[in-house]
Amino acid sequence: MAGIRDKVAIIGMGCSKFGERWDASPDDLMLEAYTEALADAAIAKEDIQMAWLGVFFDEQNVGKSAIPLSQALRLPNIPVTRVENLCATGTEALRGAVYAVAAGACDIAMALGVEKLKDTGYGGLPERTKGTFEDLWQPNSTAPGSFAQMASAYSAKHGVDMQDLKRAMAHVSWKSHQNGAKSPKAHLQSVVDMDKILNAPMVSFPLGLFDCCGVSDGAACAIVTTPEKAREMGFDNPVVVKALQLAASNGVEMSHNSWDGSYTMTTRMAAQRAYAEAGIKDPLKEISLTEVHDCFSITELVVMEDLGLSKEGQGYKDILNGKYDADGEVPCQIDGGLKCFGHPIGASGLRMAYEVYTQINGRAGARQLKDPVMGLTHNLGGIPNRNVCSVSILGRLNQ
């Protein structure tokens, strides 16, 4: 497989402040992220030749088609494409821009993801209908209920006492709040003690309030080009895309006993493809940090095994031992993750890439890691038995 490794450089990224942005429209959020990315890349608007917009809830906030991006930023009538792929939408937008540059269709492309959810008035992710198929197959399905079942399946399969699993899940949330307190753009920026997490009201057993990420508003943006052009522009050793992989469910998890509900099948597939594309032999030694889809604390716990960073059935022990803490072997959610940024769906994947890009460039301030080389981002869109998973890996060109 030829793959995407080292064929595309990221020369600029931007991220809005995430949170309850009553002060800002979707256009304002897009402009906030875009302005930072454009300044970071030190280019003019006219230099951007193609763009991709990632947004999930079109009718409820931003609007249909790609016109909202072109109109908000007054782009010079360039080709703009709107993409949606559940919670992997932001990464899908980045994939479009990266593939366009790698294919030689343009020299400079932009990806921007945005979502404005607080104005909808819903406490959870708003969804008037899942569509004809989903409403028939899973009429009463909820995200907390679906992921709570994964926790029960994990406990049963590996013989993990539920109290031990609850302590590990609480550590996941505690860790994210410790990190998020150092992220000026995070929605939630306060530390939370372990007792408060463990004794929080139950949402869907065993998931308590602090095991769930929240709803938020936000946008993130990336500008990409070829490594050759990046060097011409003065980026001597730019951050490049090492891998960008997707895996979508084909119905097996939903309708076949071969899947036991204790792991995410698509993450395992996307991760193996991404490691092969990036030339990674031992992810535990070669990946410096991860930003994974912690929609619920149990998701992060299981995903660390699916990514091959923990042995199967041992992830909860690694979490309790601090393996994924800020000073651990492979820091996870060093910016606070979805737990502290919330989950404006279209923006989340690009927000994760923004953190890896920022860390590799040594600009992460109080949460900066020591000499990160390669970072991994992961999105899981949908629910454990039917989803789209993305895994991307970013690193330096010459490493």
Side-chain angles (χ1 to χ4, degrees):
M1 179 176 69
I4 202 76
R5 181 183 178 185
D6 293 341
K7 293 180 179 177
V8 178
I10 301 176
I11 56 173
M13 290 205 75
C15 183
S16 76
K17 172 77 172 68
F18 279 40
E20 296 185 349
R21 296 296 305 270
W22 309 113
D23 61 313
S25 68
D27 288 8
D28 294 327
L29 294 176
M30 286 191 271
L31 186 62
E32 197 173 317
Y34 161 78
T35 301
E36 182 185 349
L38 198 68
D40 187 29
I43 62 172
K45 178 191 301 184
E46 292 71 23
D47 295 325
I48 301 170
Q49 298 163 337
M50 294 185 181
W52 273 257
L53 168 64
V55 61
F56 182 68
F57 288 112
D58 49 0
E59 293 87 352
Q60 288 169 298
N61 51 41
V62 176
K64 287 185 177 296
S65 85
I67 291 175
L69 180 65
S70 185
Q71 189 167 298
L73 305 183
R74 299 288 189 270
L75 296 176
N77 305 110
I78 60 174
V80 184
T81 302
R82 174 181 177 267
V83 296
E84 181 276 304
N85 216 349
L86 299 177
C87 301
T89 294
T91 303
E92 189 69 274
L94 178 62
R95 198 166 75 110
V98 165
Y99 277 27
V101 166
C106 66
D107 291 327
I108 298 179
M110 180 177 75
L112 189 147
V114 64
E115 211 79 52
K116 188 81 171 71
L117 295 178
K118 299 304 293 186
D119 294 350
T120 63
Y122 287 79
L125 295 177
E127 205 165 25
R128 289 177 293 193
T129 173
K130 300 182 181 70
T132 304
F133 174 83
E134 294 283 4
D135 285 351
L136 288 172
W137 272 77
Q138 303 177 101
N140 299 312
S141 171
T142 67
S146 300
F147 283 90
Q149 290 181 54
M150 189 164 70
S152 298
Y154 181 92
S155 172
K157 179 179 181 180
H158 299 297
V160 180
D161 183 86
M162 187 57 79
Q163 292 305 311
D164 291 336
L165 188 59
K166 279 285 290 179
R167 286 196 304 114
M169 289 160 51
H171 190 99
V172 167
S173 300
W174 172 86
K175 164 180 64 65
S176 289
H177 277 282
Q178 292 283 324
N179 295 341
K182 298 177 182 178
S183 294
K185 293 185 177 183
H187 185 162
L188 306 176
Q189 298 177 36
S190 58
V191 297
V192 181
D193 65 56
M194 197 67 79
D195 286 343
K196 188 172 184 179
I197 296 171
L198 285 168
N199 295 312
M202 193 60 63
V203 174
S204 179
F205 183 83
L207 304 178
L209 182 64
F210 285 94
D211 291 304
C212 311
C213 80
V215 173
S216 188
D217 304 325
C221 179
I223 297 173
V224 299
T225 187
T226 63
E228 294 76 19
K229 189 165 183 65
R231 285 200 196 92
E232 290 174 12
M233 298 167 69
F235 297 91
D236 294 332
N237 189 18
V239 174
V240 296
V241 178
K242 298 288 185 182
L244 234 174
Q245 287 288 333
L246 284 180
S249 293
N250 63 6
V252 168
E253 304 104 302
M254 201 173 188
S255 55
H256 199 275
N257 286 338
S258 59
W259 181 68
D260 60 21
S262 69
Y263 63 99
T264 62
M265 183 183 292
T266 52
T267 299
R268 295 186 179 188
M269 294 177 174
Q272 290 306 312
R273 293 175 194 155
Y275 294 148
E277 188 170 40
I280 290 176
K281 305 296 184 188
D282 186 345
L284 193 55
K285 292 181 179 177
E286 296 176 68
I287 297 292
S288 307
L289 72 152
T290 63
E291 289 281 322
V292 307
H293 202 84
D294 56 323
C295 49
F296 301 97
S297 56
I298 186 62
T299 319
E300 177 176 324
L301 187 155
V302 168
V303 162
M304 304 318 285
E305 297 181 13
D306 295 337
L307 292 173
L309 299 174
S310 283
K311 292 181 180 177
E312 188 171 346
Q314 301 300 306
Y316 76 103
K317 291 182 181 177
D318 287 342
I319 286 170
L320 287 170
N321 290 333
K323 183 175 180 177
Y324 304 113
D325 290 359
D327 58 355
E329 192 174 354
V330 188
C332 179
Q333 329 291 43
I334 190 63
D335 65 350
L338 296 178
K339 184 71 189 70
C340 291
F341 271 82
H343 186 22
I345 304 172
S348 290
L350 278 160
R351 187 270 302 161
M352 295 174 176
Y354 176 83
E355 178 62 18
V356 172
Y357 172 84
T358 302
Q359 286 283 346
I360 292 175
N361 280 319
R363 304 176 189 164
R367 63 183 188 282
Q368 179 64 50
L369 300 173
K370 185 179 180 182
D371 303 325
V373 175
M374 216 172 323
L376 178 151
T377 75
H378 161 271
N379 299 118
L380 190 74
I383 53 180
N385 69 358
R386 192 167 187 267
N387 59 75
V388 176
C389 175
S390 67
V391 173
S392 62
I393 298 172
L394 309 179
R396 289 281 182 200
L397 177 63
N398 295 325
Q399 290 176 322

